[in-house]
Amino acid sequence: MTTYTPTFDHQLLERLRGAVRGEIVEPGDPGYDEARKVYNAMHDRRPAIIVRAVDAGDVIATVDFARDQGLALAVRGGSHSVPGYGTCDGGVVLDLGLMRGIRVDPETRTAWVEGGCTWADVNHATYAFGLATTGGMVSTTGVGGLTTGGGMGYLVRRCGLACDNLASVDLVTADGHFVTCTAEHNSDLLWAVRGGGGNFGVVTSFAFRLHPVADILGGPTFFPLDSDVIRRYRDMVGEADDDLGALLVVGLGPPVPFLPERWHGRPLCGVIACWTGSQDEDDRIRGRLAAVGPVLGQYLERIPYPVINTLFDDLVPPGLYHYWKGTFTQGLSDGAIEACVEYGAATPSIQSVTVGIPLDGACHRVGPEETAFSYRDADYSFALSGTLTTRADCEAQKDWVRGFHQALEPHSMGGGYVNFIDHDDQNRVQANYRANYARLRDLKRRYDPGNLFRLNHNIAP
Ligand code: FAD
């Protein structure tokens, strides 16, 4: 194990201690090993210092400290980054996990969400008012990384990406300035954080537009892993109202009570539905799902919206070993479906799930240059997640993910959603932003010429 001995400027460190109201954790402190852990157990790193910020002042002080010391700076929101960008060896971790305040204004349908919140925090706070906005599929994922990368989930077809719902952000830039970014002020930075990831600064607060979403008809329906089933799923999505979120999942049957035991651990596919339309239409939606194929098991109930975002939390707790890739497809070609069936049958573990998220509807109604997120003509975003409970078979897991990705390549659009790609995909960052890359690079040169925010899918200045 490498031990990093930080060579801090004593005065700067003392100034940081005086400026920060949150916690500062260093090697040798009792909480150090807990504080340095990130969600993906692949990354066992030893930062020189971890600052657990409680407010924007702490964030500014930490950004100034890392920059002036010339140290790497890892910004951590919910800690879910698969490439482990929320940690580093020998540098500074700015952990926003104590910044979890939320204020909801039901009149203007706006939620102000601090930079370290998870989607569980947001869904809980907004459900009380019968409101919601697009978040991720797992409630423990951070708002920070998910939103700045784009943000896909059950509500995308109806409400757009998470970043499409951003009215404004408060941002600390590389020079330690605090700026509020709206459509009128610092609009170029608001544009950049709507898909450009953590490249432009630390968001201390997000203002999200909310939509009337309270109880929904939702849950998984499992089918045999068969290309005709996936074709019928594709047809269903093609005809469905935007109020139907319907994610395709391919993997091994999870050990859940509503799936007969003989299917546990066996390849299958499924549709995770989230119908936010009228309850009067529930039976029509049930019928439509039943027409996709022979139902092996189903949990499809009227549930509060926050519940659907917790259904898979237990399947993917922190501490597993993740390696992912992502790709976009236009339509769902027969070739892509065949690749899903072939590689789905070889899924390495119950935790490894391939997810296809339909991106049409509201997501298509935003132009490719209106936000940094450019793939507005993609119909599906695929996450190929190789996830294991031990490190032992990690090489085989990576081979499976890479092979699957290669098999999908001829049926894909190039690039890859920054939140679903891994560290070895840095060379795909430019392709991910397509025509927006040049503008992003210009903004990076202007706001972060020294590339302080480089532990991310990096847009080099
Ligand atoms: P962190 O590791 O804390 O941060 C990742 C990066 O985000 C950091 O490098 C930093 O640059 C940036 N960042 C974080 N917070 C801030 C902030 N406040 N200001 C500026 N930059 C910040 N993605 C989807 O779109 N939809 C899903 O449904 C979805 N489901 C997922 C489920 C699981 C189990 C996992 C592991 C990931 C999932 N993802 C999903 C991918 C997810 O969006 C990314 O992993 C994202 O980076 C996680 O954000 P985080 O804040 O939790 O991560």
Side-chain angles (χ1 to χ4, degrees), residues 78-243:
S79 159
H80 270 210
S81 162
V82 174
Y85 291 139
T87 187
C88 58
D89 275 327
V92 179
V93 169
L94 171 54
D95 183 348
L96 305 171
L98 297 177
M99 292 177 60
R100 305 274 280 269
I102 298 179
R103 179 174 158 258
V104 178
D105 179 353
E107 290 291 313
T108 59
R109 291 184 181 161
T110 308
W112 287 268
V113 174
E114 279 196 299
C117 286
T118 63
W119 286 103
D121 301 330
V122 177
N123 294 335
H124 170 77
T126 59
Y127 179 73
F129 301 95
L131 298 168
T133 197
T134 304
M137 294 164 50
V138 172
S139 82
T140 53
T141 306
V143 171
L146 184 135
T147 305
T148 55
M152 302 164 185
Y154 295 107
L155 301 183
V156 167
R157 301 185 73 233
R158 173 169 160 184
C159 309
L161 300 172
C163 74
D164 295 338
N165 290 289
L166 270 185
S168 71
V169 293
D170 290 340
L171 186 76
V172 175
T173 52
D175 57 7
H177 278 93
F178 177 87
V179 286
T180 295
C181 312
T182 65
E184 290 79 33
H185 301 286
N186 304 305
S187 55
D188 51 355
L189 277 173
L190 181 63
W191 178 87
V193 299
R194 294 167 89 189
N199 276 282
F200 298 93
V202 185
V203 180
T204 55
S205 177
F206 297 86
F208 284 104
R209 288 185 210 99
L210 304 174
H211 308 265
V213 175
D215 291 350
I216 54 120
L217 177 74
T221 305
F222 292 116
F223 306 97
L225 179 54
D226 180 275
S227 41
D228 284 337
V229 169
I230 302 181
R231 270 190 276 274
R232 285 193 290 269
Y233 156 79
R234 173 188 66 191
D235 297 344
M236 177 188 78
V237 172
E239 296 157 7
D241 305 339
D242 294 350
D243 289 345

